[in-house]
């Protein structure tokens, strides 16, 4: 099942179907829908890291890698994205939902 | 849509590598979905949070039919260390951390770690024997109270 958000195709859970449709304005809108009213520079650091890794490698980084290499450590990741850092940052970054168990 | 799970309380009761990892993966996976996670270590599961023993957790190579290794071979000296090493290599490839790092990760992610009072008393251990991420020693009754309103998973 798919639907649209601001004219862009998303899946049933709200993840962009086509990462190339992504814009920063859209990111802010997805964030609001996920309960994050304002994307701070720290949020952006994580969101951009997720997106860059996905576009470069074809897979989203694991939560372990996110905590080690994004520039934001584990505790803060969960403060920034209480509903799940990898999942929510992927959604805001316009990439598919990460399918790893870690 | 069915009701979403918002809390899990996971009991870790075994002290082998294959006995400990499933509970940790389930707990970390819960936090990754924004689900509250409690870990309750009981019996030999306490080795997972024991300061020194957590560094030496091994795969059980005897009496473990899933390994498809004849029991007599599994009992050879060094076999458990070898199989453990091989498994750790494969897990590292999947970015699954070693047990000490994994527990730190779960704790930093907001997961809570508890020790079973009966087991701690039986093995004559104290808080000083455990990693600092452990929240407290709790009774079975306290565990059930804490798990209220969520799901309990026994591993």
């Amino acid at each position: 099942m798919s639907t649209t958000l601001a004219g862009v195709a998303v899946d049933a859970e709200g993840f962009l179907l086509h990462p190339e449709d992504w814009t920063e304005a859209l990111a802010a809108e997805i964030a609001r829908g996920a309960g994050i009213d304002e994307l701070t520079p720290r949020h952006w650091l994580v969101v951009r890291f997720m997106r860059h890794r996905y576009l470069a490698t074809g897979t989203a980084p694991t939560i372990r890698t996110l905590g080690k290499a994004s520039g934001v450590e584990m505790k803060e990741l969960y403060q920034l994205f209480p509903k799940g850092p990898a999942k929510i940052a992927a959604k805001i970054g316009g990439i598919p939902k990460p399918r790893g168990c870690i | 849509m069915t009701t979403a799970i918002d809390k899990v309380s996971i009991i870790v009761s075994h002290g082998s590598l294959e006995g400990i990892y499933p509970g940790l993966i389930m707990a970390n996976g819960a936090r990754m979905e924004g689900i509250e996670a409690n870990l309750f270590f009981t019996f030999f599961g306490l080795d997972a949070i024991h300061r020194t023993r957590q560094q030496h957790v091994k795969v059980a190579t005897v009496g473990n039919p899933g390994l498809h290794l004849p029991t007599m071979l599994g009992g050879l000296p060094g076999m458990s260390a070898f199989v453990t090493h091989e498994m750790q290599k494969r897990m590292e490839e999947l970015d699954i951390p070693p047990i000490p790092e994994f527990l730190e990760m779960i704790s930093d992610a907001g997961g809570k770690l508890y020790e079973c009072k009966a087991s701690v008393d039986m093995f004559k251990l104290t808080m000083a024997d455990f990693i600092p991420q452990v929240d407290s020693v709790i009774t079975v009754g306290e565990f059930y109270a804490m798990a209220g309103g969520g799901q309990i998973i026994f591993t």
Side-chain angles (χ1 to χ4, degrees):
Chain A
M1 196 193 101
S2 69
T3 173
T4 61
L5 176 78
V8 164
V10 295
D11 71 9
E13 288 181 84
F15 288 82
L16 258 61
L17 289 183
H18 312 290
E20 61 276 17
D21 289 341
W22 184 84
T23 62
E24 293 198 357
L26 192 59
E29 183 158 346
I30 298 169
R32 277 192 294 275
I36 298 168
D37 291 334
E38 199 205 331
L39 287 171
T40 65
R42 300 298 281 171
H43 286 104
W44 276 113
L45 194 59
V46 181
V47 168
R48 290 215 170 86
F49 179 82
M50 282 297 276
R51 187 171 169 83
H52 286 160
R53 273 292 173 101
Y54 175 79
L55 294 178
T57 66
T59 44
T62 63
I63 185 77
R64 185 194 191 193
T65 299
L66 209 53
K68 281 186 169 175
S70 70
V72 176
E73 288 186 357
M74 201 61 69
K75 276 185 191 166
E76 193 185 349
L77 281 173
Y78 278 90
Q79 284 159 7
L80 295 171
F81 306 95
K83 296 205 172 116
K87 189 173 86 168
I88 303 300
K91 197 175 196 176
I92 296 171
I95 62 170
K97 185 176 178 178
R99 292 213 63 242
C101 291
I102 298 291
Chain B
M1 208 175 132
T2 49
T3 317
I5 292 173
D6 55 17
K7 176 163 76 177
V8 290
S9 296
I10 301 166
I11 302 163
V12 177
S13 67
H14 294 289
S16 59
L17 189 106
E18 73 277 22
I20 292 170
Y21 266 102
L24 305 192
I25 290 174
M26 298 291 287
N28 179 64
R31 292 302 304 129
M32 284 173 63
E33 294 296 321
I35 298 169
E36 193 183 325
N38 298 311
L39 276 163
F40 183 65
F41 296 90
T42 185
F43 242 82
F44 297 114
L46 284 177
D47 277 6
I49 50 172
H50 190 283
R51 279 178 197 275
T52 50
R53 290 185 195 151
Q54 70 164 188
Q55 326 269 344
H56 308 288
V57 169
K58 297 217 159 34
V59 177
T61 47
V62 172
N64 187 351
L67 211 55
H68 307 290
L69 184 73
T71 292
M72 299 309 269
L73 278 184
L76 290 176
M79 188 54 86
S80 185
F82 170 74
V83 173
T84 299
H85 181 71
E86 286 302 302
M87 210 164 271
Q88 282 168 339
K89 244 173 33 192
R90 286 197 212 170
M91 288 196 292
E92 189 59 47
E93 283 165 17
L94 295 173
D95 215 15
I96 300 175
I99 289 170
E101 184 192 332
F102 210 173
L103 284 161
E104 258 179 60
M105 219 172 105
I106 292 167
S107 171
D108 286 347
K112 292 275 187 321
L113 317 182
Y114 298 95
E115 297 160 8
C116 159
K117 183 169 190 320
S119 308
V120 169
D121 290 348
M122 187 180 68
F123 291 126
K124 300 192 189 317
L125 297 164
T126 67
M127 279 300 272
D129 294 307
F130 298 98
I131 56 172
Q133 286 83 10
V134 173
D135 188 274
S136 53
V137 182
I138 61 172
T139 65
V140 171
E142 286 162 349
F143 169 77
Y144 282 126
M146 179 185 77
Q151 304 287 323
I152 294 176
I153 302 169
F154 184 85
T155 68

